[in-house]
């Protein structure tokens, strides 16, 4: 016997249609999400490439900065070198003239150093400071306060508030010491 109930076959058909509609909607959603995923992959790849390019640019800029970091300093030192060369070129010069030329050249050199953050330490007469001075000897100096610097064997230098080289000094002995 054949089932010929029209309501039953219509309801089965409408169920199949509903399932088909759901499947079509899911297929559309799936295709939409696949497209969005592809777009996101493209964006991600572009962002990665941009980050890699920025990293390469930064590396190149750092290399350039390292390579030419002392360009300004060396440019400022060129007149000092020129002065030394001119002084050496003079054949007949008395000691006073030579000394005057060396003094001017030293002043020019110290000016360049100071403009680049180098400060000279000449602690003569100051209290001994172990953070800036290195005592190499102690001498009797009753007219000077104990532990004061009485002689500077070698000046010290500070570069941008950081000790580059301590001053080598002699200090006054404490009384009875």
């Amino acid at each position: 016997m054949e089932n010929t109930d029209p309501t039953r076959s219509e309801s089965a058909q409408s169920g199949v249609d509903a399932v088909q509609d759901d499947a079509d909607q899911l297929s559309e959603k799936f295709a939409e999400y696949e497209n969005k995923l592809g777009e996101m992959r493209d964006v991600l790849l572009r962002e990665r490439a941009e980050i890699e390019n920025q990293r390469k640019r930064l590396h190149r800029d750092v290399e350039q900065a390292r390579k030419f970091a002392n360009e300004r300093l060396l440019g400022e030192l060129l007149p000092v070198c020129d002065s030394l060369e001119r002084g050496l070129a003079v054949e007949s010069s008395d000691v006073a003239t030579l000394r005057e030329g060396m003094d001017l050249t030293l002043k020019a050199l110290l000016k360049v150093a100071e403009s680049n953050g180098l400060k000279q330490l000449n602690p003569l007469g100051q209290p001994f400071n172990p953070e800036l001075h290195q005592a190499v000897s102690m001498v009797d100096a009753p007219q000077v306060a104990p532990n004061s610097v009485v002689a500077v064997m070698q000046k010290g230098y500070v570069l941008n508030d950081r000790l580059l080289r301590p001053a080598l000094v002699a200090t006054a002995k404490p009384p009875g010491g």
Side-chain angles (χ1 to χ4, degrees), residues 91-151:
E91 292 293 327
S92 61
S93 179
D94 62 74
V95 173
T97 307
L98 184 61
R99 184 170 181 77
E100 182 183 338
M102 287 179 65
D103 187 49
L104 290 172
T105 303
L106 178 61
K107 285 179 183 175
L109 179 62
L110 289 175
K111 184 179 176 188
V112 168
E114 284 177 17
S115 72
N116 284 280
L118 189 68
K119 206 166 71 173
Q120 196 177 58
L121 297 176
N122 189 2
L124 188 61
Q126 297 176 2
F128 176 73
N129 180 347
E131 292 179 10
L132 300 174
H133 313 140
Q134 182 177 347
V136 292
S137 67
M138 294 183 87
V139 295
D140 288 322
Q143 70 280 12
V144 180
N147 293 323
S148 290
V149 176
V150 293

Side-chain angles (χ1 to χ4, degrees), residues 19-36:
V19 168
Q20 185 62 42
D21 287 346
D22 287 346
D24 289 345
Q25 286 177 354
L26 286 174
S27 291
E28 287 175 19
K29 284 281 190 196
F30 183 74
E32 181 183 329
Y33 288 136
E34 266 188 335
N35 286 339
K36 285 183 181 181

Side-chain angles (χ1 to χ4, degrees), residues 7-71:
T7 54
R8 207 165 193 208
S9 78
E10 281 178 21
S11 105
Q13 185 59 41
S14 69
V16 168
D17 289 343
V19 168
Q20 185 62 42
D21 287 346
D22 287 346
D24 289 345
Q25 286 177 354
L26 286 174
S27 291
E28 287 175 19
K29 284 281 190 196
F30 183 74
E32 181 183 329
Y33 288 136
E34 266 188 335
N35 286 339
K36 285 183 181 181
L37 181 62
E39 290 171 9
M40 288 181 187
R41 279 187 183 133
D42 288 346
V43 168
L44 178 65
L45 289 174
R46 284 190 193 110
E47 292 296 324
R48 280 185 180 167
E50 179 62 28
I51 288 171
E52 183 63 22
N53 288 340
Q54 285 179 351
R55 188 189 68 75
K56 287 177 183 175
R57 268 193 306 273
L58 181 63
H59 180 72
R60 187 174 54 245
D61 291 349
V62 166
E63 284 299 312
Q64 285 292 97
R66 213 179 271 143
K67 195 174 189 179
F68 297 105
N70 53 4
E71 179 179 19

